[in-house]
């Protein structure tokens, strides 16, 4: 099937704000500048003490950059002007990643090329996505019943932000556009959390009142950048005020990463999604060479170490590739595989999003529906991820590849 021609929708790329900053925040300066964004309350308090300032000034900075989403030092008006100037003269800046370009889909999805402070010089970007109303992939794991939405939440409904963890990716899944970039570098904790804060700022989201889900499903393999990924989660929980129960991290099945993840305290542990993507090891290792290192059984064994919350489920993501993973027999195999794990699992089906240079085909809508129905009839909770932002190249890594490639 690898020799099949790729079928790309005849779609038009709509680019808004081309080439100019989407926000008023300054372009992060290269070289020698030190970002405050990424430091937690403790680190900022320590910094203040080092500068012979009262340590509670650290709290004020935390409040300003993570809660009020101030993007420039000069705007942290709770600090005396002299202190702001002193910080600036020592090379400190807020240094939050900047939404450099915005692409808006007709369905409301927004996709951003985000420029990170550390890479301002090279114009290196990652992708972040805002999906109002989500893509339904995050629903149905039972957590909604823990806290029913308040009236305010219902009025605003919900949104999902898809976050990148690396520039490019080393894992080399054959159907994925990010893989084509190779791994360029890891993002820091501040660069990961900063994507979220920049998007919250753009949409004026009231954290705590309005419902926002995070999915770490953008560019990169979070579990191959584990410390920075978990550092970002801790910042987002502690300083930004988001709940880990509304966050889902997706991994291609990096077993040592899953094992470390299982050790994380529940107050900082997002939910877990595994990119299964195939009904058996034979097909999976063709699509995901990483399967030769850690096969399905090894991944499932590691997943068993995660102590799930009441009603929490593990998500298996499953990309449907025409002729390769979307056959009726495959659905039966997936249902048996899910049952064998004995884990509370739900399956998120994703129709493969095409992209330049990848020789797979999108599944027929009939095949997608038949696959969903087959799994459901076997009693497997199954959800279909709605394709979002097709007109702006919504699949992971697609926008960056399309613009730059
Ligand atoms: N690296 C992590 C997270 C990022 S990829 C992982 O692989 O899990 C997030 C999800 O997007 C994965 O489930 C992956 O299988 C899926 N994906 C990648 N490329 C895709 C494409 N072109 N169309 C649809 N889904 C894709
Ligand atoms: Fe990396 Fe995930 Fe893409 Fe695989 S699917 S190449 S792990 S980003």
């Amino acid at each position: 099937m690898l020799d099949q021609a790729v079928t790309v929708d005849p779609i038009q790329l709509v680019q808004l704000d081309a080439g100019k900053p989407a926000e008023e925040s300054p372009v992060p300066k290269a070289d020698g500048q030190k970002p405050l964004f990424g430091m937690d309350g403790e680190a900022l308090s320590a910094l203040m003490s080092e500068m012979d300032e009262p340590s509670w000034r650290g709290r004020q900075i935390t409040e300003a950059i993570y809660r009020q989403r101030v993007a420039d030092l000069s705007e942290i008006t709770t600090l005396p002007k002299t202190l702001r100037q002193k910080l600036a003269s020592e090379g400190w800046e807020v240094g939050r990643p900047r939404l450099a370009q915005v692409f808006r889909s007709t369905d409301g999805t927004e996709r951003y090329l985000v420029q990170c402070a550390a890479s301002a010089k090279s114009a290196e970007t990652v992708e972040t996505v805002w999906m109002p109303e989500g893509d339904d992939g995050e629903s149905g794991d039972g957590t909604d019943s823990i806290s029913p939405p308040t009236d305010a939440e219902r009025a605003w409904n919900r949104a999902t932000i898809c976050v990148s963890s690396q520039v490019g990716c080393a894992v080399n899944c054959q159907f994925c556009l990010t893989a084509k970039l190779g791994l360029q570098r890891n993002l820091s904790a501040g660069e990961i959390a900063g994507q979220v804060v920049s998007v919250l700022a753009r949409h004026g989201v009231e954290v705590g009142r309005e419902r926002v889900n995070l999915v770490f499903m953008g560019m990169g393999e979070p579990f191959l950048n584990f410390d920075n990924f978990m550092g970002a989660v801790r910042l987002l929980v502690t300083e930004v005020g988001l709940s880990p129960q509304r966050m889902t991290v997706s991994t291609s099945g990096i077993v040592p990463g899953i094992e470390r993840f299982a050790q994380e305290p529940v107050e900082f542990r997002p939910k877990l999604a595994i990119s299964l993507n195939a009904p058996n090891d034979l097909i999976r290792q063709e699509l995901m060479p990483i399967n030769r290192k850690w096969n399905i059984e090894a991944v499932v064994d590691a997943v068993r170490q995660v102590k799930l919350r009441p009603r929490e489920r593990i998500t298996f993501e499953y990309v449907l590739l025409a002729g390769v993973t979307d056959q009726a027999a495959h659905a039966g195999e997936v249902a048996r595989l899910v049952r064998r794990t004995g884990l509370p699992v739900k399956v998120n089906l994703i129709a493969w999003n095409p992209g330049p240079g990848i020789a797979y085909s999108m599944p027929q809508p009939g095949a997608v529906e038949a696959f969903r129905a087959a799994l459901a009839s076997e009693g497997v909770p199954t959800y279909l991820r709605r394709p979002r932002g097709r007109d702006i190249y919504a699949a992971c890594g697609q926008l960056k590849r399309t613009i730059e490639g």
Side-chain angles (χ1 to χ4, degrees):
M1 285 301 153
L2 281 167
D3 57 358
Q4 281 187 351
V6 64
T7 49
V8 183
D9 290 343
I11 47 181
Q12 232 208 321
L13 190 68
V14 185
Q15 184 178 356
L16 305 173
D17 306 331
K20 68 175 164 67
E23 298 170 39
E24 291 310 307
S25 59
V27 177
K29 294 165 225 77
D31 292 350
Q33 289 300 99
K34 297 175 282 189
L36 296 167
F37 201 99
M39 295 169 78
D40 61 10
E42 213 176 300
L44 287 166
S45 297
L47 174 68
M48 288 298 100
S49 301
E50 275 168 34
M51 292 176 79
D52 295 324
E53 295 287 336
S55 63
W56 48 262
R57 293 262 179 237
R59 265 280 129 219
Q60 291 180 315
I61 300 178
T62 314
E63 179 67 26
I65 65 180
Y66 296 114
R67 301 273 173 162
Q68 291 160 15
R69 305 166 193 151
V70 170
D72 192 86
L73 208 49
S74 65
E75 289 161 23
I76 309 182
T77 48
T78 47
L79 300 183
K81 203 168 175 192
T82 47
L83 176 54
R84 283 179 262 159
Q85 285 166 343
K86 189 167 147 199
L87 280 163
S89 70
E90 291 187 11
W92 291 100
E93 58 174 4
V94 173
R96 189 179 82 201
R98 194 174 60 92
L99 307 183
Q101 289 182 39
V102 179
F103 302 81
R104 200 202 315 268
S105 165
T106 49
D107 67 16
T109 301
E110 283 189 354
R111 193 163 193 94
Y112 315 100
L113 287 180
V114 180
Q115 190 168 20
C116 297
S119 56
K121 225 177 177 180
S122 65
E124 201 174 49
T125 55
V126 292
E127 296 181 35
T128 309
V129 188
W130 161 265
M131 292 172 279
E133 306 306 314
D135 64 359
D136 293 334
E138 70 284 345
S139 62
D141 63 355
T143 50
D144 281 348
S145 56
I146 292 172
S147 52
T150 63
D151 283 348
E153 283 172 329
R154 265 191 295 274
W156 192 76
N157 287 318
R158 70 203 161 93
T160 300
I161 303 173
C162 178
V163 186
S164 291
S165 56
Q166 298 180 310
V167 185
C169 185
V171 179
N172 200 23
C173 302
Q174 298 298 295
F175 51 83
C176 173
L177 270 157
T178 303
K180 299 261 173 202
L181 300 165
L183 177 62
Q184 296 175 13
R185 71 173 178 91
N186 281 332
L187 294 179
S188 67
E191 289 169 338
I192 298 170
Q195 296 167 55
V196 177
V197 175
S198 285
V199 174
L200 295 177
R202 175 176 168 82
H203 292 276
V205 173
E206 283 183 58
V207 169
R209 210 174 76 86
E210 297 173 318
R211 230 172 97 188
V212 182
N213 298 302
L214 302 187
V215 292
F216 295 93
M217 298 185 184
M219 295 169 62
E221 170 48 62
F223 284 2
L224 290 179
N225 185 19
F226 192 87
D227 290 329
N228 289 326
F229 159 69
M230 275 310 301
V233 170
R234 281 191 292 271
L235 281 175
L236 291 165
V237 172
T238 309
E239 313 298 359
V240 180
L242 297 169
S243 162
Q245 299 201 56
R246 296 213 176 281
M247 302 178 189
T248 303
V249 59
S250 173
T251 178
S252 55
I254 308 297
V255 164
I258 300 170
E259 289 171 346
R260 286 186 69 187
F261 181 77
Q263 303 302 318
E264 290 294 331
V266 69
E267 64 267 30
F268 294 118
R269 184 178 63 68
K271 296 182 290 182
L272 181 61
I274 302 291
S275 292
L276 178 65
N277 292 342
N280 56 51
D281 282 320
L282 212 62
I283 298 178
R284 194 169 189 266
Q285 72 195 24
E286 289 306 312
L287 302 174
M288 304 176 71
I290 193 84
N291 194 78
R292 292 176 199 271
K293 187 153 190 172
W294 295 295
N295 65 14
I296 297 173
E297 197 186 330
V299 172
V300 169
D301 278 347
V303 169
R304 278 187 230 287
Q305 298 176 24
V306 179
K307 200 167 169 297
L308 297 175
R309 303 173 178 94
R311 288 183 291 271
E312 183 178 346
R313 288 177 186 278
I314 298 290
T315 301
F316 281 168
E317 293 158 285
Y318 191 97
V319 175
L320 291 159
L321 297 164
V324 181
T325 60
D326 71 342
Q327 305 293 292
H330 298 150
E333 267 188 274
V334 171
R336 286 192 293 280
L337 192 159
V338 166
R339 259 199 301 278
R340 265 202 319 275
T341 69
L343 291 164
V345 165
K346 63 163 175 153
V347 174
N348 273 359
L349 297 176
I350 316 162
W352 180 68
N353 262 304
I358 304 197
Y360 288 106
S361 298
M362 288 167 73
Q364 295 296 324
V368 175
E369 178 46 31
F371 205 96
R372 190 203 60 75
L375 280 183
S377 75
E378 298 264 6
V380 179
T382 307
Y383 299 85
L384 204 55
R385 284 247 290 266
R386 275 189 294 148
R388 295 297 308 256
R390 273 258 164 87
D391 54 345
I392 50 165
Y393 293 92
C396 76
Q398 270 193 321
L399 177 63
K400 186 175 163 74
R401 269 293 282 188
T402 311
I403 301 300
E404 295 173 3

